[in-house]
Amino acid sequence: MHDQLSRYVRHAAEGGEVVVTMRGQRVARLSPLDVEDPLADLRVRGLVQEPARSKRSVRGRKRLASSAPVSDLVAEQRR
């Protein structure tokens, strides 16, 4: 299958379905997405949630100052 993967993906993108088997047992299915925005579908189904607030906008945290690049500090810790 792996040598034909792009062909199978194209087939699924065109609306087809590919069933993957291992030793005669069905193990996976490649099929087209039913929605244009899969993340929106997951939100509607309650499987993912938007964060309550952005991590970048967290207030009250002090930014640490460094006298050297982080790579130097990491290298020093490894010694």
Side-chain angles (χ1 to χ4, degrees):
M1 172 176 164
H2 55 26
D3 56 340
Q4 299 290 324
L5 183 59
S6 60
R7 180 176 141 214
Y8 297 137
V9 170
R10 194 173 314 110
H11 177 71
E14 293 169 353
E17 181 176 283
V18 178
V19 175
V20 180
T21 62
M22 291 179 65
R23 298 186 182 116
Q25 299 291 322
R26 296 167 54 122
V27 295
R29 176 177 44 227
L30 181 61
S31 61
L33 292 174
D34 295 334
V35 293
E36 288 188 26
D37 184 2
L39 187 56
D41 179 55
L42 293 173
R43 278 190 217 102
V44 168
R45 293 168 43 199
L47 298 175
V48 295
Q49 296 177 357
E50 294 294 325
R53 62 183 178 179
S54 171
K55 288 185 178 183
R56 292 180 185 227
S57 66
V58 176
R59 297 178 189 189
R61 287 191 181 174
K62 294 181 181 178
R63 187 173 187 111
L64 298 176
S66 173
S67 59
V70 173
S71 58
D72 292 348
L73 297 172
V74 171
E76 183 180 320
Q77 291 290 321
R78 290 183 178 171
R79 293 182 202 157

